[in-house]
Amino acid sequence: PRSSKMAAAVAASLARRWGAWLTLVPRSWPRSASSSSSAWAEDLLRHMDQRDAWDRFYSKKGAGGLQHFDWFFGYRDVSGLLLSTLRGLSSGAARILDVGCGTSALGLGLYRDSPHQLHVSCLDFSPLALDYLRQLLRDSPPPRHPLSQLCCHLADATDLRDTFESGSFHLVLDKGTCDALLRCPQGPGRAKQLVAECLRVLRPGGRLLQFSDEDPDARVPFLEQAGGVNVTVTEIGHINGICYYVYTLGQRLLESTDSREQSPEEKGPKSIPDGLT
């Protein structure tokens, strides 16, 4: 089931990234918390669609020292795949969106390592997470390409209409955000909204990369029902005993008023980016 697999992945990620005091949380989590250290983690697992729960999570994280936190696995585990994907994009500056970025190293790693010019948009609905990400950005080495940029955007990934025009991005990245929504009370409905918005902001020929531990037999039909086409699956491999996949999909080719009104070069954020660097 989605819930038990996500619980195991969260517990493994927490234990790996937060030190020995969280290794007491078993892979069968959630369970009744036996200590204050697991209580806040269980709180997050039960309320993964709520902004306040994530703010509490990042408040705890910040108290332990500023660092990246990556669900499932880290940037280095997929950096080769991502940089290879960037090489296959059209020439010129590539626009990348990382939805539900939290304090992940994913967007920042691409911004720093890519030899090609990138405009990376890191989006999350937790203001505290974005504050920490900006601090990590300030402490990061300069980007490999001198014209690359990274922006932070405060918004709900299930409704980006006030944040981004249709057809704004060459590549959209989702590492765990869809999985988190699939655990919330609204379940597949909100997750489908997320996928639909990710597809809407893709440019023609653009791709959505979704990283998950969910088996293809369950995830592929879900993505197709949510509007994705040409869904392909690549096994990333086993990390900390859990098998992960990357699902790649594109959008259905539909007539779009937004696409006719603006050239690709003109499209981008509707509002002023929060934290442009």
Side-chain angles (χ1 to χ4, degrees):
R2 282 193 175 110
S3 59
S4 61
K5 291 196 70 178
M6 184 63 183
V10 169
S13 183
L14 287 171
R16 183 174 71 253
R17 300 292 293 173
W18 282 56
W21 62 278
L22 268 175
T23 61
L24 298 175
V25 180
R27 287 171 59 86
S28 59
W29 187 48
R31 61 180 177 84
S32 296
S34 59
S35 66
S36 59
S37 62
S38 61
W40 63 264
E42 186 173 349
D43 170 61
L44 174 64
L45 186 62
R46 291 179 173 179
H47 305 96
M48 298 188 84
D49 63 327
Q50 297 179 21
R51 180 178 302 173
D52 289 348
W54 287 101
D55 284 340
R56 290 192 294 270
F57 173 82
Y58 286 111
S59 178
K60 289 285 187 181
K61 177 184 183 300
L66 191 61
Q67 59 181 319
H68 289 291
F69 184 87
D70 279 285
W71 297 107
F72 297 156
F73 48 78
Y75 163 69
R76 292 300 175 191
D77 293 305
V78 290
S79 60
L81 181 152
L82 291 172
L83 291 171
S84 176
T85 300
L86 291 178
R87 288 195 292 271
L89 299 179
S90 58
S91 59
R95 296 185 60 86
I96 315 296
L97 174 63
D98 181 9
V99 293
C101 62
T103 59
S104 169
L106 203 66
L108 183 53
L110 287 177
Y111 159 79
R112 182 187 61 232
D113 294 346
S114 174
H116 308 288
Q117 183 181 354
L118 301 183
H119 189 293
V120 181
S121 293
C122 293
L123 181 140
D124 203 279
F125 69 175
S126 168
L128 193 55
L130 293 181
D131 285 345
Y132 288 156
L133 188 61
R134 290 188 203 96
Q135 294 179 50
L136 290 165
L137 174 62
R138 286 194 290 269
D139 295 337
S140 174
R144 185 171 173 185
H145 193 290
L147 297 181
S148 287
Q149 295 180 322
L150 187 146
C151 305
C152 293
H153 296 267
L154 182 66
D156 184 337
T158 64
D159 186 359
L160 301 174
R161 290 171 297 178
D162 293 333
T163 309
F164 299 117
E165 301 281 356
S166 298
S168 294
F169 296 96
H170 299 92
L171 185 66
V172 177
L173 307 174
D174 170 7
K175 183 161 74 73
T177 303
C178 186
D179 296 79
L181 288 176
L182 285 168
R183 285 192 47 78
C184 74
Q186 291 77 19
R190 291 203 67 200
K192 285 182 179 178
Q193 292 175 5
L194 167 72
V195 175
E197 280 295 89
C198 289
L199 294 174
R200 181 186 66 80
V201 300
L202 281 179
R203 293 183 177 184
R207 282 173 280 180
L208 165 61
L209 268 59
Q210 195 175 91
F211 298 92
S212 177
D213 66 334
E214 186 170 48
D215 292 337
D217 287 348
R219 183 55 61 99
V220 171
F222 166 78
L223 292 173
E224 291 175 341
Q225 293 170 10
V229 297
N230 300 323
V231 180
T232 62
V233 186
T234 302
E235 183 177 317
I236 296 172
H238 286 76
I239 303 173
N240 296 309
I242 299 174
C243 186
Y244 293 101
Y245 306 90
V246 57
Y247 297 89
T248 304
L249 55 154
Q251 59 185 176
R252 292 192 176 97
L253 298 178
L254 299 174
E255 287 294 321
S256 169
T257 302
D258 288 339
S259 297
R260 291 194 300 269
E261 287 177 346
Q262 290 180 296
S263 67
E265 290 74 17
E266 294 172 323
K267 292 184 178 180
K270 287 186 174 182
S271 56
I272 298 174
D274 179 18
L276 180 63
T277 298

